[in-house]
Amino acid sequence: MRARLLDAGYTTERIEETLGSGRISFAAADLAVHERRLEAGEPFSTAVRLFLLGAELAAADAEVAFDVEELLRTGWLEASGDGVHATLKLVPHGDLLLASDRDDDSVDAQWVAGIHPPSVTLAKLTVRRPVARALDTGTGNGIQALLASRHARAVTATDVNPRALAFGRLNAGLNGVENLELREGSYFEPVEGERFDLLTCNPPYVISPERRFAYRDSGLAGDTVSRVVVEQASELLEEGGFAHVLVSWAHPPGDWWSPLEPWVEGRGCDAWLLYFGSDDPVTHASEWLKPVARDDPAAFAERLDAWLDYLRGLGIEAIGHGAVILRRRNGSRNWTRRDRVNLERLEQASEHILRVFETQDYLESLDDERGLLDETFALVEQHHLEETRRRTELEGTVLSLDEGLGFRTALDVHTAELVPLLDGTRPLRDVLAQLAVGDAKRFESAALPAVRRLLELGFLARASSA
Ligand SMILES: C[S@@+](CC[C@H](N)C(=O)[O-])C[C@H]1O[C@@H](n2cnc3c(N)ncnc32)[C@H](O)[C@@H]1O
């Protein structure tokens, strides 16, 4: 099957080139538009129609790319009306091929979702070092587990939904992955007493009054599922191991971090809290109920009220979305830090995250900010500086990271002059001496907080570690 699809040119790039990049919509009206971008009687278009868009094709048309009789026998296709349709969805992700449930409602609570934006966010946030054991909890179609199988000797994946485990098994086969073990059970129950070097979890974190879908509704009150997964994940980590958990939580408006901090304190882990944004209750409920709004406006209004009553009952005013990254570090004073992330700028972030953890350890080890003066720093290569000018007058400078979490930060005039000189060749003290205007000591003291912030955000690395 894999060979057939690759022969047909069924790749992410070609799909995006043909249907447009960004999220593909499977709403009926959009399907009709996608259909018109596809050529007739050609293998790639046939694969897209059958396995991405879920269309029904005449057997003769499907035959252009596939041995229809064989696929009917092996269950990839099913006869329907005068033609055939695929029994599942197949989507390429990089060089993986991932099977999941079709976008129809023939399966209910056990419906196994395909690759969604949060799946990609978690994949980008995962630290990719060679490790012995990885765990993916709530594996769904298995995407995180399959990605981990490339750099972990052994991967364990758990899910409470047997249908998800069946897809996980199928996807391991489709991608030739042999170091994945699937276990049925709730969250960490199937791995009790075991320890891992890497943990990923994209739980059913949606704060909802329903228990309709395994992938969305945990059945636990409010944000309990996110908290419990974060708390338990910390206990399963080997020393130095990383856990990455997507979370959603209730918070007072304007203060997204306070409710999260107790989840990670006192657990023997350093923690990085990443904040993607928040929704008010009406936005939250209406976004999740969007498919109902399209299909049945009366039911939508009723369910919207039920969601809002539920949120009001819990006193929820704002719902945050983000991720928690933990690293086990026993026997030391652990740190917690927090940052906002613009998901539109997020790229593969493994290296950036490792750099930030290492730098944060270094910063925590300094008795005094002046210790920075003896160190040699280098600006990371993947960055760019933007200057805005009014006529010839410089108005502002923004430094952007073109990798990882894609941070952007405004620089004052002095820091903008300093940054290009941090090239890893001499200690900060010497660089500042070159730039100092007036009292050198005062100039140094003013520069240190800016340098510290650039280190915290991962724009600068210690030359020794680079
Ligand atoms: C949002 S999906 C994530 C799927 C996939 N890991 C990804 O990143 O796209 C959540 C998954 O958690 C599973 N799940 C729900 N309740 C669970 C539980 N109590 N224990 C383990 N997994 C559970 C669902 O079946 C679903 O596969």
Side-chain angles (χ1 to χ4, degrees), residues 30-289:
D30 297 313
L31 286 179
V33 175
H34 298 324
E35 181 64 41
R36 279 154 185 80
R37 297 191 197 281
L38 295 165
E39 283 176 35
E42 181 268 327
F44 168 75
S45 301
T46 305
V48 171
R49 286 195 174 94
L50 281 172
F51 289 106
L52 184 65
L53 304 181
E56 188 184 304
L57 293 189
D61 292 339
E63 199 68 48
V64 169
F66 303 101
D67 178 342
V68 172
E69 208 170 291
E70 188 193 340
L71 295 197
L72 283 169
R73 201 179 59 245
T74 46
W76 296 93
L77 295 180
E78 215 168 53
S80 59
D82 293 338
V84 293
H85 69 253
T87 52
L88 41 68
K89 187 152 121 184
L90 273 169
V91 178
H93 176 76
D95 59 359
L96 291 176
L97 262 179
L98 285 153
S100 57
D101 267 316
R102 288 162 51 88
D103 293 282
D104 61 22
D105 38 17
S106 55
V107 188
D108 201 355
Q110 294 198 343
W111 189 77
V112 176
I115 307 166
H116 276 65
S119 328
V120 178
T121 298
L122 180 58
K124 286 180 175 174
L125 289 175
T126 301
V127 165
R128 307 266 173 220
R129 298 179 302 180
V131 290
R133 295 196 71 195
L135 171 68
D136 179 35
T137 300
T139 198
N141 61 44
I143 176 174
Q144 315 298 339
L146 297 184
L147 290 170
S149 75
R150 272 118 179 230
H151 57 100
R153 267 210 304 280
V155 183
T156 307
T158 73
D159 207 294
V160 78
N161 179 2
R163 193 174 172 85
L165 296 176
F167 271 112
R169 206 164 296 121
L170 172 61
N171 284 328
L174 256 179
N175 294 286
V177 169
E178 290 178 350
N179 57 346
L180 171 62
E181 188 196 344
L182 294 145
R183 297 189 199 168
E184 188 176 329
S186 188
Y187 303 112
F188 303 117
E189 260 171 34
V191 294
E192 209 187 319
E194 298 177 46
R195 295 285 173 274
F196 298 87
D197 308 290
L198 175 72
L199 198 154
T200 49
C201 183
N202 173 5
Y205 54 65
V206 179
I207 301 181
S208 97
E210 299 186 359
R211 297 192 73 158
R212 211 168 272 251
F213 301 113
Y215 79 94
R216 188 191 71 181
D217 310 312
S218 69
L220 301 174
D223 54 20
T224 306
V225 68
S226 295
R227 177 177 56 75
V228 168
V229 169
V230 168
E231 288 175 355
Q232 294 186 355
S234 67
E235 288 163 23
L236 274 101
L237 286 178
E238 291 281 12
E239 177 71 8
F242 278 88
H244 310 76
V245 184
L246 292 190
V247 288
S248 181
W249 68 101
H251 67 81
D255 168 13
W256 63 264
W257 58 90
S258 299
L260 284 186
E261 283 170 344
W263 296 7
V264 297
E265 268 162 19
R267 300 185 177 276
C269 287
D270 301 308
W272 195 3
L273 312 178
L274 299 176
Y275 175 63
F276 307 155
S278 295
D279 287 322
D280 63 79
V282 178
T283 309
H284 171 81
S286 57
E287 280 294 316
W288 281 104
L289 292 172

